[in-house]
Amino acid sequence: MVRWSRMVYNTEKSWIMKPYTDVEVTDEYIIREFGNNIDPIELMWHRDDEDRTLEIIGDTDWKIQLDNQLPSSLNHPIFIPRHEWHRVIKGSGKLKIKINKN
């Protein structure tokens, strides 16, 4: 198991904290964990540079919201096309997801 740093170098040339920890990273997928103490304000709208499919690991009441849609459950696979705006909405406990790179 590889645990990656939560620090990232941003476009303003400064270090910032990511709201998650990448627990495992391969060419095919990422296992990502969001802690239960995260401030919901850190879960910002964003876009990714590749298609991806999210799968929940375990049960959760956290949600995902895609652009121009209402928040929906993460308890089934979610496909997110490249460059589509989306965000995670905090629920109770930790969130652990598998991000399949398509």
Side-chain angles (χ1 to χ4, degrees), residues 42-93:
E42 294 181 74
L43 302 171
M44 302 177 71
W45 285 95
H46 67 282
R47 297 184 294 177
D48 298 304
D49 287 331
E50 59 193 0
D51 289 346
R52 44 185 56 196
T53 301
L54 305 182
E55 294 179 65
I56 195 69
I57 299 174
D59 293 323
T60 189
D61 63 348
W62 287 56
K63 296 188 182 297
I64 186 154
Q65 186 172 12
L66 304 178
D67 194 25
N68 293 319
Q69 295 184 30
L70 294 172
S72 64
S73 169
L74 278 168
N75 289 312
H76 57 86
I78 304 284
F79 175 72
I80 303 173
R82 177 180 185 253
H83 291 160
E84 181 167 352
W85 287 97
H86 62 282
R87 68 176 177 158
V88 175
I89 298 173
K90 187 178 187 311
S92 56

